Amino acid sequence: MWVRSATKEDLSAVRDLLVETWHATYDDVYGVEKVNDITARYHSLDALKKQLAKPYSEFIIADDGADIMGMAYASQKDHKLSILNQLYVHPEHQKKGVGSLLLAEVESAFPGVFALQLEVIDKNRNAVEFYESRGFEKTSTKIDDWGQPNSGISVIVLEKSLTGYELAP
């Protein structure tokens, strides 16, 4: 398995991975219709192209030479903080180290930044446990409007110090 920068040629496969992973994770929680709405909005090819082109960001995939097993996208908010916007692993490849490799790459991608922050849907207990087991700590909770206005999706904000990745003096 390799972790590498995503390219335009990867975006269709990344979209397929995101849609399949979201349905496997959230259909029972939010229903197929809401998951379709969210994936259409946030995981469209246009949205992924914008992410790929954004400065001060890292869009990476894990693949085995044939299939994309996972993806991550993070961006630098300012000189102190980076945001992990997405980290998804295909359901068939979860709990095999793919997410850990992607996270390690993202953590080292922004030298000089002091912390990495993310939001995770609170009903996704597997993701919450994954991040907490890797040193992330809950800083707050909030209601987000993913997919449609007033959707009321509760999210947990987690943050991890990135000491050890600072730039040399």
Side-chain angles (χ1 to χ4, degrees):
M1 171 178 32
W2 296 272
V3 174
R4 63 175 175 82
S5 295
T7 67
K8 288 180 185 177
E9 289 75 25
D10 296 317
L11 295 183
S12 181
V14 168
R15 176 175 166 45
D16 292 345
L17 175 140
L18 289 167
V19 169
E20 189 169 344
T21 303
W22 263 76
H23 280 291
T25 306
Y26 296 114
D27 278 0
D28 291 342
V29 176
Y30 297 113
V32 174
E33 213 172 293
K34 186 177 272 193
V35 172
N36 283 337
D37 187 43
I38 291 169
T39 58
R41 182 178 300 210
Y42 294 103
H43 305 143
S44 69
L45 287 176
D46 285 341
L48 295 174
K49 286 176 188 175
K50 288 177 185 173
Q51 287 176 205
L52 192 62
K54 185 177 179 184
Y56 306 104
S57 68
E58 183 80 355
F59 191 147
I60 56 175
I61 61 170
D63 73 7
D64 63 3
D67 297 311
I68 294 177
M69 301 157 66
M71 63 80 64
Y73 172 72
S75 57
Q76 188 169 334
K77 181 177 181 180
D78 55 35
H79 69 283
K80 295 181 183 178
L81 183 67
S82 289
I83 306 295
L84 177 58
N85 303 96
Q86 296 171 305
L87 191 155
Y88 294 101
V89 177
H90 189 280
E92 293 178 7
H93 299 290
Q94 291 177 3
K95 300 185 188 256
K96 296 179 182 177
V98 177
S100 296
L101 284 173
L102 290 166
L103 184 59
E105 179 66 24
V106 167
E107 288 177 355
S108 66
F110 303 97
V113 172
F114 299 109
L116 179 62
Q117 186 180 81
L118 61 95
E119 295 177 4
V120 62
I121 294 173
D122 71 350
K123 291 185 179 183
N124 187 348
R125 298 311 306 165
N126 287 336
V128 173
E129 291 171 11
F130 171 81
Y131 292 115
E132 288 178 341
S133 73
R134 283 149 183 86
F136 284 82
E137 296 179 358
K138 180 179 171 180
T139 60
S140 64
T141 58
K142 66 181 188 175
I143 302 298
D144 211 328
D145 290 334
W146 291 5
Q148 57 187 331
N150 303 312
S151 63
I153 295 177
S154 179
V155 298
I156 299 170
V157 180
L158 299 166
E159 193 169 298
K160 179 179 181 178
S161 171
L162 294 180
T163 57
Y165 294 109
E166 298 95 353
L167 293 172

